[in-house]
């Protein structure tokens, strides 16, 4: 599934997938990639990731510093990383991330994103990526087919 920013019937930015799939293992760092595609011909797109809910930063490593500038006609893969945890959060909504994008390459400061959101300017767009966590089960036995 993909989310597309439409401006004047033109698809400017694609964010995909719309779910972050974490394969949880206790006490392991777990990373999950997603992609941001800039479909414009002549404009850079600034991207930053922020937690959807307060307190989510205790589950993520460096989420506050996840930002990028995507050149025209390019795709960037952005990787978010969950900290080492004994068990996944009870409320998986805590891991949801908001991907914010604005047109231009000089807008990586928090103030510029806040201003663009407030003014609904610079092509501001946000997409929520829903977190899904699957627990990895270790195999204790392996099945070997009988060969006769």
């Amino acid at each position: 599934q993909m989310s597309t920013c439409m401006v004047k019937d033109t698809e400017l930015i694609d964010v995909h997938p719309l779910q972050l799939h974490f394969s949880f293992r206790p006490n392991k760092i777990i990373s999950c990639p997603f992609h941001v595609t800039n479909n414009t011909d002549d404009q850079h797109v600034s991207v930053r990731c922020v937690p959807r809910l307060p307190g989510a930063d205790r589950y993520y490593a460096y989420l506050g510093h996840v930002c990028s500038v995507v050149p025209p006609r390019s795709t960037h893969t952005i990787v978010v990383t969950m900290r080492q945890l004994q068990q996944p959060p009870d409320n998986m909504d805590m891991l949801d991330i908001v991907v914010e994008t604005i047109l231009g390459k000089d807008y990586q400061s928090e103030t510029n994103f806040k201003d663009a959101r407030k003014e609904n300017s610079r092509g501001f767009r946000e997409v929520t990526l829903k977190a899904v966590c699957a627990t990895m089960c270790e195999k204790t036995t392996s099945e070997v087919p009988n060969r006769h």
Side-chain angles (χ1 to χ4, degrees):
Q1 214 174 9
M2 184 181 308
S3 175
T4 302
C5 175
M6 303 276 293
V7 178
K8 295 182 183 174
D9 298 326
T10 304
E11 296 177 0
L12 296 180
I13 303 158
D14 293 329
V15 178
H16 64 281
L18 296 178
Q19 285 188 330
L20 297 171
H21 291 271
F22 292 100
S23 296
F24 186 80
R25 286 189 163 162
N27 301 314
K28 299 287 184 190
I29 294 173
I30 304 159
S31 296
C32 182
F34 67 92
H35 312 282
V36 178
T37 300
N38 177 358
N39 296 316
T40 68
D41 289 322
D42 58 356
Q43 294 190 64
H44 287 74
V45 173
S46 292
V47 179
R48 82 171 186 156
C49 300
V50 295
R52 189 175 71 86
L53 298 173
D57 52 346
R58 72 175 177 249
Y59 298 106
Y60 282 109
Y62 310 111
L63 185 59
H65 302 286
V66 176
C67 56
S68 182
V69 175
V70 184
R73 295 278 168 211
S74 299
T75 298
H76 275 205
T77 299
I78 298 173
V79 179
V80 291
T81 303
M82 189 189 314
R83 296 179 189 267
Q84 294 178 356
L85 302 170
Q86 190 68 19
Q87 56 188 358
D90 292 330
N91 179 2
M92 285 306 296
D93 291 346
M94 287 299 296
L95 296 176
D96 293 353
I97 291 177
V98 176
V99 179
E100 299 178 334
T101 59
I102 54 178
L103 297 175
K105 61 181 177 179
D106 300 318
Y107 299 115
Q108 288 188 355
S109 80
E110 186 173 339
T111 302
N112 289 326
F113 276 93
K114 284 182 179 179
D115 289 347
R117 177 189 296 119
K118 185 170 59 176
E119 299 164 5
N120 197 21
S121 64
R122 300 184 204 143
F124 177 80
R125 169 112 190 301
E126 63 181 26
V127 175
T128 299
L129 302 183
K130 191 85 177 132
V132 177
C133 198
T135 304
M136 297 292 291
C137 297
E138 302 266 340
K139 286 188 177 182
T140 55
T141 60
S142 60
E143 293 182 27
V144 179
N146 289 333
R147 295 185 187 180
H148 295 282

